[in-house]
Every structure is written in C-alpha cells, then in structure tokens.
Amino acid sequence: MDLQMISTYIRLSFLLVLFVGALHLSTAQTRSCARTCNVLYRCSPYYKELVYAVVDGVCRVYQNGCIFGNENCTRVNQCQSPLSSTSAEKCKEFCPRRCPRGGQEVCGWFPFINSNGENSDRYIAFANRCLLDQYSCQNNIAYAYEPTLGPCP
C-alpha cells in the first residue's frame, strides 16, 4: 500500500469512529417514552375522596382518585415517573412552610357540594402557586386541575 491509501484509510476509519460515537451519544441521551397511557377518564370534580401525593417535594391534595389517576396518566405520557399516593399525615410533612411574596398570580378552582346538595364553585386568587399549595395542604382542600394564571373570573 502506498502512503496516500494508508492516509485515506486512516481518515475514513477516524470518521467512522466519530460517527458511531456521535450516534451512541445521541441515543444514550434520548429518553425513550412509549406514551402508553391513552385512557383519560371524565372525572367529577365535585366527588370528594381526597388523595394525597408529594409532587416535586410539595404536598398536593387531589379531589378524588379519578383526578389523581388522570394526573398519573398525563405524567406517564410526558415521560415522568408516576406519583404514589400517601397518607395525609405523611403528605403534610411536605406542606410549604414559607412562600415568596412575588411571582405569578394564580387562580385556584375549589369545587364542592353545598348544603343543598348542589355543585358549587369557589375561586380563590393567590399571589403565587406556592401560596395556593400551602392553603390547599394546610386546609385539606383540593383545587381541581392546574390553576389558571392571572386573576380569577
């Protein structure tokens, strides 16, 4: 073999190694998510059977098991690990103790059944999400779904 062929062989080998290495790195850094949960139920936000879970280090109160199940389905489809329910006592260890004063205002929707047995709604505005979670946790009251940003209707 002459010097030019050896040089070409080395360059091609080097490029092949680079390509295989880049391919390996890209597949190692990509999370595979099957998005296997395709069953979302229509849940009544007025049916109350509280479920407690710690979400990102904060106690979250869910109105009922159906809403909690839908949250887990959404998490699985977003390649996040599912939540585990816990006792109210254990969850309360993760109630926010202090919240910042600033932040984005949020509106929490608190559905309930009034004394006449009718579905009712209460909307409460909070200066930020931390204060909403704190209120919900300390008072054993669930807000339904994700809070809306900005003032309440």
Side-chain angles (χ1 to χ4, degrees), residues 18-105:
L18 280 178
F19 176 75
V20 171
L23 182 64
H24 176 71
L25 282 176
S26 67
T27 57
Q29 292 175 352
T30 303
R31 283 180 62 174
S32 175
C33 181
R35 300 189 195 297
T36 56
C37 186
N38 58 7
V39 179
L40 291 174
Y41 296 100
R42 291 189 67 172
C43 304
S44 170
Y46 300 98
Y47 175 69
K48 184 177 179 179
E49 184 181 278
L50 299 179
V51 177
Y52 296 84
V54 177
V55 182
D56 299 326
V58 177
C59 178
R60 173 78 198 275
V61 184
Y62 292 88
Q63 186 77 338
N64 57 54
C66 183
I67 292 172
F68 178 72
N70 278 348
E71 174 70 17
N72 268 337
C73 192
T74 299
R75 288 178 65 86
V76 165
N77 287 339
Q78 293 174 349
C79 298
Q80 298 174 330
S81 59
L83 302 172
S84 297
S85 62
T86 188
S87 67
E89 296 76 28
K90 183 68 177 167
C91 198
K92 286 192 173 287
E93 294 174 16
F94 296 90
C95 283
R97 306 263 188 268
R98 294 184 180 167
C99 292
R101 291 186 181 265
Q104 175 70 47
E105 180 181 18

Side-chain angles (χ1 to χ4, degrees), residues 45-46 105-112 119-126 132 135 141-153:
Y46 300 98
E105 180 181 18
V106 296
C107 179
W109 171 40
F110 298 89
F112 67 100
N119 294 343
S120 295
D121 304 298
R122 182 179 309 124
Y123 293 91
I124 304 174
F126 296 88
L132 169 61
Y135 174 82
I141 185 171
Y143 56 89
Y145 310 110
E146 281 298 306
T148 57
L149 298 177
C152 291

